[in-house]
């Protein structure tokens, strides 16, 4: 591997890797591993892991020993549920070894996160409209769920919001509160997280409301912990919040469009990330097939429009920013491609590097450094 030093199968501390979760087909086995070229963000294939269907969202434990994936299925073990899988990471070869699998408790699990201690994974079940917590054992295997919470409710869009659809679950920087964006309820459900027993307790306030019909999808925090941001699928909007870390409460600051003013077609927003510098926020649009860019007010959390950049493919369900903040990689699900952009650190704008990787149905990207 040209971008890896020490021989074909060796890695070192300077190597940066990308794990890609995919929808599995007869052409693709699941999770692919790439090494990233620090010069242009290009990807060189390293290995792949089979044995887990539709690993559509990935997470890595803080100690970098294990990788976890949701298996986005409607049925597993004869029940209306999906699953989640655990893999051991070999840092010398970057090969993944399947460890075990647990039922998710609800259908179509679509999001997974690891708590700051590396003891728990939290998942969101889209089809089931539920969230759950699972213990990580010392050997990296997942134990049965320590907690399961069923959401209940609906909203105004009768085609998409007849029932709850939990779309993500994220912990705050202090590991005290969990925030579950529910597309079907137009709410961000807020839980107190018990990191000792792996439990979720309704917070006070128990939720933050989104605009009716907006469809909350992904949620993320600013590096300073004072602001948080929500991208909303159905109305293609981004909302910024002020965050009270003592109460686990969100206060709306502003809502802006993720689409150009003159766009008239059909599009659904998907993923959202803040640059490591905290200066810019990015959101993906499926249909317009673009990344929207906003500057973040340092003291206000307000968003100022910068522009849009085509992802040079179809349906950017997910994208990721490398830890240095130099590159953004866009995963184009329906054109089977990962496209690399360089981030202008002064303006936040994106510029294609020309680097392009062919991957079947990529839907999640996670960076990893040995």
């Amino acid at each position: 591997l040209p971008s890896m030093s020490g021989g074909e199968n060796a890695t070192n501390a300077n190597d940066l890797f990308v794990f890609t979760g995919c929808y599995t087909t007869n052409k693709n086995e699941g999770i692919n591993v790439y090494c990233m070229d620090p010069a242009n963000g290009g990807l060189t294939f390293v290995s792949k892991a089979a044995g887990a269907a539709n690993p559509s969202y990935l997470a890595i434990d803080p100690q970098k020993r294990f990788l976890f994936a949701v298996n986005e299925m409607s049925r597993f073990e004869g029940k209306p549920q999906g699953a989640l899988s655990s893999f051991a990471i070999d840092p010398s070869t970057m090969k993944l070894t399947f460890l075990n699998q647990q039922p998710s408790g609800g259908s179509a699990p679509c999001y997974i996160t690891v708590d700051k201690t590396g003891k728990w994974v939290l998942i969101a079940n889209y089809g089931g409209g539920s969230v759950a917590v699972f213990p990580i054992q010392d050997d990296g295997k997942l134990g049965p769920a320590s907690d399961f919470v069923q959401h209940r409710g609906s909203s105004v869009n009768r085609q998409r919001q007849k029932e709850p659809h939990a779309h993500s679950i994220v912990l705050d920087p202090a590991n005290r509160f969990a925030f579950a964006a529910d597309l079907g309820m137009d709410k961000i459900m807020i839980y107190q997280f018990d990191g000792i027993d792996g439990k979720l307790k309704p917070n006070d306030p128990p939720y933050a409301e989104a605009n009716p019909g907006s469809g909350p999808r992904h949620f993320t925090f600013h590096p300073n912990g004072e602001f948080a941001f929500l991208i909303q699928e159905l109305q293609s909007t981004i909302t910024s919040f002020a965050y009270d870390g003592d109460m686990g409460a969100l206060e709306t600051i502003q809502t802006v469009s993720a689409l150009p003013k003159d766009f008239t077609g059909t599009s659904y927003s998907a993923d959202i990330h803040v640059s490591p510098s905290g200066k810019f926020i990015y959101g993906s649009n499926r249909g317009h097939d673009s990344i929207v860019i906003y500057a973040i007010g340092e003291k206000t959390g307000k968003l100022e429009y910068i522009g849009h950049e085509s992802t040079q493919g179809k349906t950017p369900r997910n994208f990721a920013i490398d830890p240095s903040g130099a590159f953004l990689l866009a995963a184009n699900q329906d054109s089977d491609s990962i496209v690399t952009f360089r981030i202008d650190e002064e303006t936040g704008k994106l510029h294609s590097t020309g680097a392009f990787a062919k991957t079947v149905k990529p839907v999640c990207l996670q960076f990893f450094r040995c």
Side-chain angles (χ1 to χ4, degrees), residues 65-66 68 85-88 97-101 139-142:
R65 298 177 300 163
F66 309 113
F68 305 97
S85 300
S86 173
F87 297 83
T97 301
F98 176 76
L99 297 176
N100 81 324
Q101 207 167 34
D139 60 1
K141 292 182 179 180
L142 294 163

Side-chain angles (χ1 to χ4, degrees), residues 120 246 302 325:
W120 310 96
D246 293 326
K302 288 187 175 181

Side-chain angles (χ1 to χ4, degrees), residues 169-330:
I169 185 162
V170 174
L171 288 158
D172 77 336
N175 216 49
R176 293 183 56 203
F177 299 96
F179 296 80
D182 195 298
L183 182 146
M185 297 165 59
D186 283 326
K187 292 178 179 178
I188 304 172
M189 305 302 294
I190 307 173
Y191 301 97
Q192 297 174 20
F193 175 60
D194 179 350
I196 303 298
D197 297 319
K199 300 292 184 182
L200 296 171
K201 177 183 177 182
N203 187 48
D204 182 14
Y207 57 83
E209 292 194 65
N211 290 335
S214 60
R217 183 179 171 95
H218 283 186
F219 181 81
T220 191
F221 282 92
H222 191 280
N224 67 14
E226 296 178 5
F227 306 117
F229 305 92
L230 172 71
I231 195 162
Q232 290 147 120
E233 176 176 329
L234 302 182
Q235 292 181 350
S236 296
T237 51
I238 296 172
T239 298
S240 58
F241 298 91
Y243 179 55
D244 183 337
D246 293 326
M247 299 295 294
L250 298 169
E251 181 180 353
T252 300
I253 296 173
Q254 178 191 27
T255 296
V256 298
S257 178
L259 294 169
K261 291 181 179 180
D262 59 354
F263 180 76
T264 58
T266 299
S267 188
Y268 301 100
S269 293
D271 201 14
I272 187 167
H273 294 284
V274 179
S275 64
S277 68
K279 295 165 64 174
F280 306 103
I281 191 164
Y282 301 84
S284 64
N285 295 301
R286 299 168 297 170
H288 187 247
D289 295 332
S290 66
I291 302 291
V292 65
I293 311 160
Y294 279 93
I296 303 171
E298 181 180 2
K299 296 182 178 179
T300 65
K302 288 187 175 181
L303 305 180
E304 180 181 352
Y305 177 71
I306 299 295
H308 283 81
E309 184 70 28
S310 168
T311 61
Q312 302 180 18
K314 296 180 180 179
T315 319
R317 182 183 179 92
N318 182 256
F319 66 96
I321 300 172
D322 86 284
S324 73
F327 297 103
L328 182 150
L329 275 60

Side-chain angles (χ1 to χ4, degrees), residues 2 15 41 91 95 112 133 159 196 201 206 233 324 346 351 360:
D15 292 328
K95 290 184 177 180
I112 187 166
V133 184
Q159 284 72 45
I196 303 298
K201 177 183 177 182
E233 176 176 329
S324 73
E346 296 298 324
H351 305 281
V360 178

